Amino acid sequence: MRGLHADTGYLLYRLGLQSGRLFNISLEEYGLRLRHYALLRYLATVEGALQRELSTRLGYDPSAIVSLVDDLQGLGLVERRPSPGDRRSRIVVLTDRGRDVLRDTDKAGRRVTDELLAPLDAADRDALHALLQRVADADQG
């Protein structure tokens, strides 16, 4: 029987758990969790998004998006605004405070990544990232 560490899927799972745990610890001081960070990170790439778009893009249940946006709005990190194309719809937009917090949490995220990938040199890190990106991109297709 093969050991668990011989299974790539299991290793990815374990490292994902460890990464999530460390990232959540680094986000605690901001009152955030990794799911909040993902939403902020996505909003930084767009001019605003409908909640259903956030659900689709992030792969979260629509009811979870409502709760996450409520949390972030309560912290002043996002706002709900009328959609330019349909005044009955609301888009979620990153606030200036949200951009500032995202900048700080990005730094925390880099520290977590550096800690997790400490055994790898720069070339190995780049190769790992490229391979993971290829797998992630194929999953989007």
Side-chain angles (χ1 to χ4, degrees):
M1 182 156 116
R2 295 182 322 149
L4 282 175
H5 286 194
D7 185 310
T8 303
Y10 178 75
L11 287 173
L12 288 170
Y13 168 74
R14 285 292 306 266
L15 290 173
L17 287 177
Q18 184 178 2
S19 175
R21 183 181 59 76
L22 292 172
F23 211 109
N24 279 328
I25 289 169
S26 74
L27 293 171
E28 282 178 353
E29 70 179 281
Y30 302 96
L32 302 174
R33 307 269 305 153
L34 189 51
R35 299 181 115 210
H36 296 108
Y37 173 81
L39 198 151
L40 292 173
R41 170 78 5 248
Y42 179 74
L43 287 175
T45 67
V46 296
E47 294 295 320
L50 296 168
Q51 288 183 171
R52 69 178 161 271
E53 176 187 349
L54 293 171
S55 175
T56 301
R57 293 289 182 174
L58 299 174
Y60 297 159
D61 185 82
S63 63
I65 292 294
V66 171
S67 177
L68 291 171
V69 172
D70 287 347
D71 293 346
L72 293 171
Q73 190 169 14
L75 293 169
L77 306 182
V78 302
E79 295 176 344
R80 287 179 173 102
R81 296 182 184 162
S83 174
D86 179 1
R87 294 281 181 202
R88 292 171 295 157
S89 296
R90 314 276 295 161
I91 59 171
V92 182
V93 178
L94 196 60
T95 64
D96 289 339
R97 176 166 157 60
R99 289 186 196 289
D100 292 342
V101 167
L102 187 56
R103 208 173 3 264
D104 291 343
T105 56
D106 280 345
K107 291 175 192 172
R110 283 190 292 279
R111 284 192 303 272
V112 167
T113 299
D114 287 344
E115 182 180 332
L116 280 173
L117 301 182
L120 304 179
D121 64 25
D124 287 341
R125 287 179 186 206
D126 289 344
L128 176 63
H129 183 86
L131 292 169
L132 291 172
Q133 187 68 56
R134 191 181 330 159
V135 173
D137 288 348
D139 185 49
Q140 298 297 313

